[in-house]
């Protein structure tokens, strides 16, 4: 048993020495890892062996060799980790490029993965080999796309990025939202405000774009009930100060005019400052509107905002009586230096200019002073878009029986928003207007009244040279003869245009007119 155990020990020792000998031979014969230099040694170290310490007598340090190998393995692992990190960082970019390639191959379809909405399908381009019908097909596709999406404005340009598909790139821009144009109804104690509100609501195309704000003064309970009966169709606001205003003794009979001016100031501040609107159309509780009332103001809003020589748009023609206007020219518009009122559009920046100096009474005449007008004009129609039915009021029926009751209200809808109204801009209008007026034959008023020798329908020109001659001619021809700061009603550059016996007539100052004479009031 002892002999057998001794044999096993000897065999084990022999195997241990043999294995270590083989390992030593393997490590000794293995070439150094690194870049070889000139003498076969690895760098750094030149001709010397890299990383191997020599013993005295030429032996090799086995432990040092093992440590060196471990360091090499660790270094290699770090390198592999860095490579893996780089691969992961570029993975998202590779997938994005691969997705773009797929979309290009699918014909340019785009999916919005974030919103999960269906893609906007662009019209297919023409076949690549059909060069003859290329332009026609592209135009047809674009027209179909615009028709399908009417609220989009489309510009086209060739797409040079995808030449193989020969498609057209569509640059789509959403049009800006339409401006809100509130209608401010100035009311007091007329229950007939119902007639005004009924027509406004009947013809209003959109409650959102044209909110109706009824501002009531006076505190008249029955009128308040009528306004309240419309519910959410209108906004009812009330001027809180109903007290009398201290005035000069000779102005006591004009107390109503003072209260109206106070009401206007308060109501306009509510619209512009409290409700923050940028524009407003002002009507009073005794006005009835035409079917195209809203269309008229909508179309003229861009002209008013873009031409600094304009400061209002009015629906009223002071000389708009039957027989004085052309019933076949419902689309005819003019510039006028006279502030007409009676349904008019005002911008917020103009109100900011007027409000600090707003008068205590007679606000409409005050608007006609040169200090307020500042040589600016308004737009007015040939045929009025408002008509007054209020004979009784603070003016006690002044002008109503003689003029106002005969004003013709337009009944034909004119699609003004589809018309090119750029001719109303001052630089365009003045040239054409002056040319038309002063190229018309100059005749005497007697010739016009008798009609002898006047075969053409006009226009003809009748000339005044003084305040008195203007008033005489205006009365004989049936137009309003009063002047405010020298400006005739409905006049532009001193010219009043109207019909007389079916002929177009211009009542004009001499050629070369430059300015109004304020003493002609």
């Amino acid at each position: 048993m002892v002999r057998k155990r001794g044999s096993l020990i000897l065999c084990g020792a022999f195997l241990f020495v043999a294995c270590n000998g083989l390992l030593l031979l393997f490590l000794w014969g293995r070439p150094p890892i690194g870049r070889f230099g000139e003498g076969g040694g690895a760098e750094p170290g030149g001709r010397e062996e890299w990383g191997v310490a020599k013993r005295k007598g030429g032996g090799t340090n086995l432990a040092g060799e093992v440590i060196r190998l471990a360091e090499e393995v660790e270094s290699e692992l770090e390198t592999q980790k860095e490579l893996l990190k780089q691969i992961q960082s570029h993975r998202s970019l590779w997938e994005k490029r691969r997705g773009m390639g797929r979309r290009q191959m699918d014909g340019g379809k785009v999916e919005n993965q974030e919103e999960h909405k269906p893609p906007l399908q662009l019209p297919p381009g023409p076949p690549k080999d059909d060069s003859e019908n290329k332009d026609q097909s592209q135009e047809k596709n674009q027209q179909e796309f615009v028709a399908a999406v009417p609220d989009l404005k489309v510009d086209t340009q060739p797409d040079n990025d995808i030449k193989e598909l020969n498609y057209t790139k569509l640059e789509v821009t959403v049009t800006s939202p339409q401006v809100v144009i509130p209608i401010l109804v100035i009311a007091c104690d007329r229950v007939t405000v119902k007639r005004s509100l009924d027509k406004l609501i009947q013809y209003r195309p959109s409650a959102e774009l044209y909110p109706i704000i009824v501002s009531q003064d006076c505190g008249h309970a029955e009128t308040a009930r009528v306004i309240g009966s419309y519910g959410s169709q209108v906004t009812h606001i009330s001027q809180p100060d109903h007290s009398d205003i201290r005035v000069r003794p000779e102005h006591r009979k004009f107390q109503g005019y003072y209260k109206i001016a106070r009401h206007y100031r308060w109501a306009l501040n509510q619209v512009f400052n409290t409700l923050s609107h940028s524009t407003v159309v002002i009507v009073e509780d005794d006005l009835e509107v035409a079917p195209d009332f809203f269309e008229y103001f909508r179309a003229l809003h861009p002209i008013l905002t873009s031409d600094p020589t304009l400061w209002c748009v009015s629906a009223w023609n002071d000389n708009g009586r039957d027989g004085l206007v052309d019933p076949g020219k419902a689309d005819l518009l003019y510039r006028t230096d006279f502030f007409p009122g009676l349904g008019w559009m005002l911008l917020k920046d103009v109100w900011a200019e007027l409000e600090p100096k707003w008068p205590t009474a007679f606000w409409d005449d005050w608007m006609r002073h040169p200090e307020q007008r500042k040589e600016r004009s308004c737009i007015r129609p040939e045929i009025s878009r408002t008509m007054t039915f209020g004979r009784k009021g603070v003016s006690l029926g002044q002008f109503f029986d003689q003029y106002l009751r005969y004003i013709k209200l337009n009944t034909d809808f004119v699609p003004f928003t589809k018309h090119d109204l750029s001719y109303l801009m001052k630089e365009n209008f003045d040239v054409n207007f002056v040319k038309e007026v002063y190229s018309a034959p100059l005749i005497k008023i007697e010739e016009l009244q008798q009609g002898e020798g006047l075969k053409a329908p006009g226009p003809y020109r009748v000339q005044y040279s003084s305040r008195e001659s203007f008033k005489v001619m205006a009365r004989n021809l049936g137009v309003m003869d009063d002047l405010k700061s020298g400006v005739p009603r409905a006049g532009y550059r001193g010219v009043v245009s109207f019909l007389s016996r079916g002929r177009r007539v211009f009542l004009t100052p001499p050629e070369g007119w430059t300015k109004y004479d304020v003493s002609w009031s």
Side-chain angles (χ1 to χ4, degrees), residues 15 17 24 55 63 89 105 126 131 137 160 167 182 188 207 210 257 266-267 284 334 341 440 472-473 486 494:
L15 288 173
V17 172
L24 182 59
R55 291 183 174 182
S89 66
M105 294 303 296
S131 59
S137 300
N160 296 323
Y167 276 15
C188 183
Y210 307 96
Y257 289 100
W266 180 86
E284 296 188 2
Y334 294 90
V472 169
M473 290 183 179

Side-chain angles (χ1 to χ4, degrees), residues 19 30 43 66 81 121 130 147 151 177 184 213 218 247 266 332 334 338 364 391 403 431:
C19 288
R30 184 174 179 271
E43 294 215 7
V66 173
K81 287 181 181 179
Q121 300 292 334
D130 189 4
D151 291 334
L184 174 62
I213 304 166
C218 311
V247 298
W266 180 86
L332 185 57
Y334 294 90
F338 191 89
D364 49 352
R391 183 180 184 278
Y403 295 105
V431 173

